[in-house]
Amino acid sequence: MAHALAQLLTADADRVLWVRESGLAPELLAEYAGALNGACPGRWDVLELKGGEALKRWDAMPHLFDAFQAHGLTRSSLVLTCGGGALSDAVGLAAAVWKRGVRVAHMPTTSLAMVDAAWGGKTGINWRGSKNQLGTFTLPEFVHLDARWLVTLPDRERRAGLAEVAKHAMLHAHLGQTHLEDWPAWDTSPDALEAWTAKLEKSARSKMSVVDADLHERDARAQLNLGHTVGHAVEAHFAATAHPWLHGEAVALGLKFVLFQAQDRAAEACLFLDRWLATHVPLPDTPLAQWPDAEALWSHMAHDKKNVADQVVDVAWHGWGKAEWPVMLEKSAFEATWARFVRSLEDAGTT
Ligand code: GLY
């Protein structure tokens, strides 16, 4: 694994700055330090940061720029990130603007970043409480996956990333049900971790087939927002409570809502996906009474930066590989469907 990274490291980089999240597994860090020593002896340094959403702030940028300067990064250098999606988003942005752009590569350490955030070149930080308002589209030189990082990730976080795996399978008929049915059981044996690495990479590469066709999200890339219109609103709602939901958990609920709307047209697939999500991405046990109502969700959705004029833009699903976008949502129809959806979960005793 570390050997594969060494091969990817560009021989022409004058310096490599390994920007990594604190708290990662020491034995893996040592293995990758060995790979860096082999690939760019004497030309690499480490910057260790606390990961998480606090990095995605304007105030976090000066520290990164100061570090880039202190380590002598030029346009011929490479920034190698190693952490979750917040770290690759924020450091990716700093690298994209440092000297008008220093190369960046990602070694993601969470399942969410492995399958989604590290791929596709979206960098970003938040602005005045709104997510990802500042950012660029800057593709990384490469993304290096190694599921061994997941061994020290909390179980809940590892599972939450799998919502994006379900999304990619829904969008790509060549993945579809088979990719999910064959999902390897979690254990920490080398074979299982290799199987996870391969499956996560296959999922991520399906995303890249969309990104390659539409990097700047003028059209086809918008389908990657499947489940995210409601998902982001649910995430924003719970972020302000004592029991925030993880991004992937909110997306899992968003996907369930998509399936609820699609049920007539793709019943078999919907039942399968509902079961798969329930097994692989359990929702937090927040009582239904504390869930946001349609009004609260709508007020978040109405502020989504992807909206056109005053309409909420969504993605609908009609079966494996069959997404439809843009679909314009209308407030009263959304409210009625959301109420029926929550009642259906109540009847099924979901929470
Ligand atoms: N996570 C969706 C995208 O990269 O477009």
Side-chain angles (χ1 to χ4, degrees):
M1 284 285 179
H3 172 70
L5 174 75
Q7 286 178 337
L8 288 166
L9 286 167
T10 35
D12 64 333
D14 60 355
R15 291 216 76 73
V16 174
L17 183 62
W18 186 15
V19 184
R20 65 195 200 196
E21 199 159 315
S22 49
L24 294 172
E27 60 284 5
L28 275 183
L29 292 176
E31 188 180 319
Y32 279 106
L36 282 152
N37 274 335
C40 32
R43 290 185 286 117
W44 65 278
D45 300 294
V46 171
L47 172 66
E48 197 155 291
L49 299 171
K50 190 167 155 14
E53 208 61 18
L55 265 181
K56 294 187 59 163
R57 291 166 53 99
W58 183 256
D59 315 357
M61 292 291 112
H63 178 59
L64 291 173
F65 296 139
D66 285 342
F68 290 176
Q69 189 162 44
H71 290 289
L73 295 197
T74 71
R75 273 213 194 136
S76 303
S77 308
L78 178 82
V79 173
L80 174 66
T81 80
C82 185
L87 184 132
S88 52
D89 278 8
V91 177
L93 173 60
V97 297
W98 180 249
K99 296 190 189 287
R100 299 205 173 97
V102 49
R103 288 174 290 180
V104 69
H106 300 307
M107 178 153 59
T109 59
T110 66
S111 53
L112 186 79
M114 286 181 194
V115 80
D116 188 9
W119 301 81
K122 280 187 180 173
T123 74
I125 58 173
N126 307 328
W127 182 250
R128 303 224 189 279
S130 295
K131 292 199 62 151
N132 298 326
Q133 296 297 300
L134 299 174
T136 63
F137 291 98
T138 310
L139 284 171
E141 288 280 295
F142 62 82
V143 179
H144 175 69
L145 289 202
D146 183 346
R148 291 180 299 166
W149 296 109
L150 302 180
V151 172
T152 50
L153 192 73
D155 208 43
R156 182 178 166 200
E157 258 190 78
R158 176 178 52 76
R159 287 166 169 276
L162 299 186
E164 305 289 354
V165 168
K167 181 190 82 177
H168 291 160
M170 289 168 77
L171 293 175
H172 297 280
H174 74 276
L175 297 178
Q177 189 160 333
T178 317
H179 192 245
L180 301 180
E181 267 168 355
D182 296 347
W183 197 262
W186 174 250
D187 76 63
T188 56
S189 67
D191 282 356
L193 293 171
E194 226 169 274
W196 271 70
T197 304
K199 294 283 279 188
L200 289 164
E201 180 140 7
K202 190 166 178 187
S203 184
R205 293 215 175 266
S206 76
K207 166 180 175 171
M208 287 312 294
S209 67
V210 176
V211 172
D212 288 343
D214 178 26
L215 174 65
H216 296 100
E217 199 169 317
R218 311 250 189 256
D219 180 23
R221 186 168 184 164
Q223 68 187 286
L224 296 174
N225 295 316
L226 184 72
H228 284 63
T229 309
V230 163
H232 278 147
V234 168
E235 186 183 1
H237 173 85
F238 285 120
T241 71
H243 302 287
W245 285 27
L246 298 175
H247 174 75
E249 293 165 340
V251 169
L253 184 63
L255 289 176
K256 278 169 168 286
F257 185 65
V258 165
L259 296 170
F260 182 75
Q261 292 172 298
Q263 214 121 42
D264 293 346
R265 283 179 272 193
E268 287 270 315
C270 290
L271 291 176
F272 169 82
L273 279 159
D274 251 331
R275 275 197 309 273
W276 195 90
L277 284 168
T279 309
H280 290 84
V281 196
L283 299 181
D285 57 7
T286 316
L288 274 176
Q290 289 169 29
W291 282 27
D293 60 16
E295 184 83 35
L297 286 181
W298 188 265
S299 67
H300 286 294
M301 284 155 59
H303 289 111
D304 197 304
K305 66 182 174 309
K306 292 180 282 296
N307 292 341
V308 179
D310 283 337
Q311 288 181 299
V312 170
V313 179
D314 202 5
V315 184
W317 190 71
H318 307 305
W320 302 109
K322 291 188 207 141
E324 180 192 348
W325 76 93
V327 172
M328 300 303 170
L329 286 189
E330 202 254 307
K331 189 175 179 210
S332 60
F334 170 75
E335 286 180 343
T337 317
W338 179 258
R340 280 195 292 117
F341 172 63
V342 175
R343 263 199 310 279
S344 78
L345 295 177
E346 214 160 9
D347 294 345
T350 301
T351 67

